[in-house]
Amino acid sequence: MCPTAATVIIQVQTEIRPARITHRRALLRLLRTAERAHRHLDWQSAEGWLQQYRCHVAFADSIPIGMLSIPEEPTSTAWLRLAAVRDSERDTPTMTRLWTTARTGLQQQGVRLAAALTDNVWPENLLPLWGFVQCGHVVVLRREPTAPPPITETATQIRAATRTDVQAILWVDQAAFEPL
């Protein structure tokens, strides 16, 4: 008995490759439009991460369908910076293949710990499948734009930061969180 056209499933070949500069536009579009997307809560923009650091991409017929960026850091910890999967894709198989590829590269570079700082449910459901466990909780608050409160005389001065302030800023940032 021959299957009908409605029962034939054609498996599209998915290939995992490092992102190239020519993929940047498509990856930014994927991050901007995908319902399942993650951008690390960070000072760096998504475009900045794509310009400077490694990103693995899942391609189907030469079209990016998923992406994952966990660049190596100067320490033995790497952070999940960017992730997205096209809305029409099943996220778990695509993203798990991307994670497996990224994890192998990180292990070869001596990275011992991978971490993620998420702000939505999608990665929080996916990460435990990869062995991630929740070790903290960050509360994010938003203030509606209104007129700033009046400034009164205080001993505190507010000014624009300069390059000479970077070390002090880093110290405050590191002091605010326990090391992983």
Side-chain angles (χ1 to χ4, degrees), residues 40-179:
H40 182 75
L41 183 60
D42 202 342
W43 305 108
Q44 180 77 269
S45 68
E47 186 167 6
W49 282 113
L50 289 174
Q51 287 175 357
Q52 296 180 28
Y53 299 101
R54 178 183 305 196
C55 180
H56 294 88
V57 184
F59 292 92
D61 295 330
S62 300
I63 298 170
I65 61 168
M67 62 168 307
L68 182 69
S69 178
I70 307 179
E72 60 276 2
E73 304 278 340
T75 66
S76 60
T77 301
W79 287 87
L80 172 64
R81 301 295 182 174
L82 303 170
V85 65
R86 189 170 65 178
D87 291 342
S88 61
E89 297 300 315
R90 292 178 48 226
D91 62 338
T92 302
T94 300
M95 296 309 296
T96 299
R97 285 193 59 206
L98 286 163
W99 162 245
T100 302
T101 302
R103 182 184 62 204
T104 300
L106 292 170
Q107 289 171 333
Q108 290 170 351
Q109 295 162 5
V111 173
R112 299 175 42 112
L113 179 67
L117 181 59
T118 65
D119 65 351
N120 64 52
V121 174
W122 172 66
E124 291 173 6
N125 290 330
L126 192 59
L127 291 168
L129 302 174
W130 301 346
F132 284 70
V133 293
Q134 184 174 344
C135 64
H137 188 78
V138 176
V139 176
V140 178
L141 302 173
R142 177 177 52 217
R143 181 175 179 263
E144 295 301 324
T146 60
I151 297 176
T152 59
E153 291 292 322
T154 67
T156 304
Q157 294 180 342
I158 299 175
R159 62 172 173 77
T162 66
R163 287 188 188 269
T164 58
D165 297 319
V166 170
Q167 288 303 317
I169 293 168
L170 289 173
W171 181 85
V172 170
D173 186 61
Q174 291 170 354
F177 301 100
E178 292 182 25

